[in-house]
Amino acid sequence: MERMLSGIKPTGQVTLGNYIGAIKNFLKYQDEYELFIFIANLHAITVFQDKLELKKNTKDIAALYLACGLDPKKVTLFIQTDILEHANLSFVLNCFTYMGELNRMTQYKDKSQKLGESSINVGLFTYPDLMAADILLYDPKYIPVGDDQKQHVELTRDIASRVNNRLGNVFVIPEPLIPENGARIMSLSDPSKKMSKSDESNDKGCIYLLDDPDVAKKKIMSAVTDSDAKIFFDRENKPGISNLLEIYSSLTDISIKDLEKKYSNSNYGEFKKDLANIVKNFLIDIQSKYKNVLDSKIIEDVLESGAQKARLIASKKLNKIYKKLGLAS
Ligand code: ATP
Ligand code: LTN
């Protein structure tokens, strides 16, 4: 089986955007690939995190992934800081990356524009090198990510080729895998912005998997739409409705075309009410499974055996590079 790897930051509670853009696809991939999933807690601290919240979010992500159907027998699930090689390789890769490349990363540019360059820390600037290290330690072929992360995977490819040219073939060149649908679920209150778990100002626009199902229902009912009242997909001119269609389609596996037909004579209220119930029932189901996972107390064991497997691969790779660089004999 070909290897695949992806990461998620414990910067807040897992959202419906994370589910649709990432987790749902992993359920399929776990049967088709050798899948590695890790919780990127070092990436999380590039913006301030309360320590108790960070611990809770880290554990919740693991529990929610299992609740959503990831099978620890098939998937290697681990925490980034359990494998010290990530930070070590990241520094090595800093030495193979140019300032101009990091300056061009849109995620960094957006954050530095929003927060002002003087309040941006260096960790945020070198974030893509840590991500490249996360990936390159394990030689995965595919990196499934939302489209906001494509640029980082492309930079990883460039860095990997550069290192390969200098040191001989040490890294597999990974490919980003962007889902066709649901790659970018937007905020319900501002469909020009991504539904984001770390955007606290946007709680109404974001559905969390651990939201009270009735609160989530209300969030769908009050989602921003346009005044046209016709239900069809047009991302540019009808971003609100298109986003809701995408959520609907992803949670039910009914194609957007079929949904357009189904709702061709309906108004926004009817459409939203149906979707609100679908979302509510989805959350009730996930939350009951989440509770079972917590009750069964398996998370520590799953993360420990994931870390053991990951550590073996990562330490070999780092050692190989250290030798090539004259840092180990
Ligand atoms: P933040 O909101 O703090 O930037 P995030 O949720 O975007 O965090 P991660 O937690 O690392 O970032 O994302 C995990 C996965 O979920 C990634 O593959 C990411 O691209 C995907 N993802 C995140 N938000 C969305 C979204 N709104 N739509 C689709 N996919 C998403
Ligand atoms: N930057 C990613 C999370 C992430 C990741 C990775 C994804 C960190 N390291 C390695 C894939 C592979 C994000 O913000 N979603």
Side-chain angles (χ1 to χ4, degrees), residues 70-322:
L70 276 198
D71 179 349
K73 287 195 207 77
K74 297 179 187 162
V75 179
T76 304
L77 184 66
F78 63 98
I79 299 176
Q80 192 179 33
T81 43
D82 280 344
I83 315 297
L84 300 178
E85 284 77 4
H86 289 236
N88 285 347
L89 181 62
S90 161
F91 184 79
V92 172
L93 299 182
N94 282 344
C95 304
F96 284 83
T97 310
Y98 298 105
M99 301 281 282
E101 289 176 309
L102 295 179
N103 259 322
R104 281 195 292 278
M105 294 294 111
T106 46
Q107 184 170 314
Y108 167 73
K109 278 199 290 194
D110 287 353
K111 287 217 167 122
S112 59
Q113 265 162 18
K114 210 156 67 184
L115 303 172
E117 195 141 289
S118 53
S119 49
I120 286 280
N121 63 59
V122 177
L124 204 62
F125 184 65
T126 57
Y127 177 116
D129 276 340
L130 178 58
M131 180 158 162
D134 299 336
I135 296 171
L136 297 175
L137 278 172
Y138 300 95
D139 283 334
K141 177 104 198 290
Y142 297 108
I143 313 300
V145 281
D147 69 354
D148 59 322
Q149 295 300 313
K150 190 170 171 216
Q151 197 187 25
H152 288 157
V153 181
E154 274 159 6
L155 179 65
T156 301
R157 288 168 61 84
D158 292 344
I159 296 170
S161 305
R162 195 170 297 147
V163 174
N164 282 351
N165 282 339
R166 201 142 351 134
L167 303 184
N169 277 341
V170 282
F171 293 135
V172 166
I173 310 289
E175 283 173 34
L177 201 77
I178 315 290
E180 262 171 47
N181 288 324
R184 199 168 169 81
I185 299 299
M186 309 309 277
S187 158
L188 300 174
S189 52
D190 178 358
S192 67
K193 276 169 51 183
K194 190 183 92 157
M195 182 184 282
S196 164
K197 66 169 131 61
S198 59
D199 186 357
E200 278 157 14
S201 65
N202 199 13
D203 197 50
K204 267 176 61 189
C206 185
I207 290 182
Y208 303 101
L209 297 190
L210 295 178
D211 259 350
D212 176 324
D214 282 312
V215 171
K217 195 172 164 180
K218 285 198 189 110
K219 288 182 183 175
I220 295 282
M221 290 310 291
S222 55
V224 167
T225 46
D226 52 72
S227 54
D228 163 49
K230 278 228 151 25
I231 296 160
F232 62 92
F233 191 89
D234 178 348
R235 226 229 218 262
E236 213 163 288
N237 300 309
K238 294 169 75 67
I241 281 292
S242 301
N243 192 38
L244 295 181
L245 276 167
E246 212 157 349
I247 294 173
Y248 196 138
S249 168
S250 176
L251 293 185
T252 57
D253 288 327
I254 303 175
S255 72
I256 289 182
K257 280 258 156 316
D258 286 345
L259 288 175
E260 285 174 340
K261 267 187 229 148
K262 180 171 158 86
Y263 289 100
S264 60
N265 294 317
S266 308
N267 60 35
Y268 284 177
E270 292 161 331
F271 169 70
K272 277 182 168 177
K273 203 167 154 214
D274 284 356
L275 177 58
N277 282 320
I278 288 165
V279 168
K280 178 178 168 178
N281 290 331
F282 170 75
L283 293 189
I284 290 173
D285 180 48
I286 291 287
Q287 289 173 15
S288 110
K289 290 177 177 150
Y290 164 79
K291 194 176 166 299
N292 290 342
V293 171
L294 288 186
D295 290 347
S296 70
K297 298 192 167 40
I298 56 169
I299 298 170
E300 275 76 15
D301 285 351
V302 168
L303 291 172
E304 178 49 34
S305 65
Q308 277 179 20
K309 186 166 171 205
R311 196 174 292 123
L312 212 64
I313 301 171
S315 60
K316 265 194 200 153
K317 179 64 83 182
L318 185 70
N319 195 251
K320 185 168 178 185
I321 290 155
Y322 271 15

Side-chain angles (χ1 to χ4, degrees), residues 42-73:
L42 283 173
H43 280 106
I45 66 157
T46 54
V47 292
F48 173 77
Q49 304 294 324
D50 174 83
K51 86 174 183 196
L52 294 179
E53 293 251 316
L54 182 59
K55 276 188 168 177
K56 178 171 184 336
N57 289 331
T58 303
K59 190 171 173 193
D60 269 353
I61 287 179
L64 277 167
Y65 270 43
L66 299 182
C68 289
L70 276 198
D71 179 349
K73 287 195 207 77

